[in-house]
Amino acid sequence: MRKELSLYLPPILLQTQAFQLLCSVEDPELDTLFVCADEVLDAQFIHTAPERAVERYEKIYKIVPKDTETLEERRFRVLSKINAQLPYTVRMLKRQLETLCGTDGYDVELDNSAYHLLVKVALTAKNNFQAVGDLLKQIVPANMDTLCMLKYNQHQTITRFTHSQLANYTHAQLREEVLP
């Protein structure tokens, strides 16, 4: 945070009431100026962009946010639009998915001979599932059969729990929720 304006003036000037009053009136204005300058800097980067900047990015990229989306999910959708670049290679797709979902947040299976692409999104990135699907629609060639699905919990994930611990969950929770 910045210091008060009166600390920058010579002490002789602060003896007059006009300068004291001027400093007390200008301090809140300078605080607002510094906050706005920080907001402009944050708006240049999607990961730190405030809501106003995210709204602007959504307007630029013609993204209609859902009412239930958090600010992080909205940033994710904007980032997925920005990251959609040519050429569309598997390596580029994996790089984009890694940026959006994290290194362990997805699996990609490609069958070149059958023109089939399967992308599994981890449960930790479940809220961003729709944005990943939209990204695939944009960058995967039209002649490829694309399937995007959630990477549900598997038997090997659940085996570390006892039966009494698992009894606290429903079948749907065991399959679709991130387990501790």
Side-chain angles (χ1 to χ4, degrees):
M1 199 71 194
R2 68 166 197 87
K3 297 179 180 177
E4 294 180 17
L5 189 60
S6 60
L7 297 175
Y8 293 98
L9 295 177
I12 191 91
L13 290 178
L14 294 175
Q15 292 176 0
T16 62
Q17 189 177 9
F19 277 101
Q20 291 174 359
L21 184 62
L22 182 66
C23 287
S24 66
V25 170
E26 289 296 323
D27 278 339
E29 295 296 321
L30 285 174
D31 286 339
T32 304
L33 178 68
F34 282 115
V35 167
C36 290
D38 287 341
E39 198 173 288
V40 166
L41 182 62
D42 287 343
Q44 293 180 15
F45 306 98
I46 300 297
H47 294 291
T48 59
E51 188 167 2
R52 250 178 54 185
V54 172
E55 287 174 1
R56 181 71 181 134
Y57 281 117
E58 288 171 338
K59 189 174 182 182
I60 290 170
Y61 292 107
K62 296 180 177 87
I63 299 172
V64 179
K66 299 175 186 170
D67 293 337
T68 58
E69 284 183 322
T70 64
L71 183 58
E72 280 301 314
E73 293 167 349
R74 291 170 60 196
R75 284 180 182 149
F76 178 85
R77 290 183 67 196
V78 169
L79 196 57
S80 68
K81 280 282 194 180
I82 290 173
N83 283 336
Q85 301 173 1
L86 290 169
Y88 302 135
T89 62
V90 174
R91 187 175 11 178
M92 180 65 94
L93 173 65
K94 287 181 179 179
R95 190 177 306 149
Q96 290 175 358
L97 289 172
E98 186 174 323
T99 302
L100 299 173
C101 300
T103 50
D104 296 329
Y106 69 94
D107 282 334
V108 174
E109 298 173 18
L110 176 64
D111 183 1
N112 283 325
S113 61
Y115 294 99
H116 182 74
L117 176 69
L118 174 64
V119 176
K120 294 180 183 177
V121 178
L123 290 174
T124 54
K126 180 167 76 169
N127 292 336
N128 300 326
F129 178 74
Q130 181 66 40
V132 171
D134 292 344
L135 175 69
L136 292 175
K137 286 179 187 174
Q138 281 185 336
I139 68 171
V140 174
N143 66 337
M144 298 223 36
D145 180 28
T146 307
L147 179 60
C148 182
M149 58 189 295
L150 284 175
K151 187 175 161 184
Y152 294 110
N153 289 326
Q154 298 174 347
H155 184 265
Q156 61 196 7
T157 309
I158 297 174
T159 55
R160 59 188 166 104
F161 296 101
T162 64
H163 287 285
S164 60
Q165 290 173 320
L166 294 175
N168 295 328
Y169 299 99
T170 65
H171 178 72
Q173 288 173 324
L174 288 175
R175 182 173 186 248
E176 300 172 2
E177 297 295 325
V178 178
L179 298 175

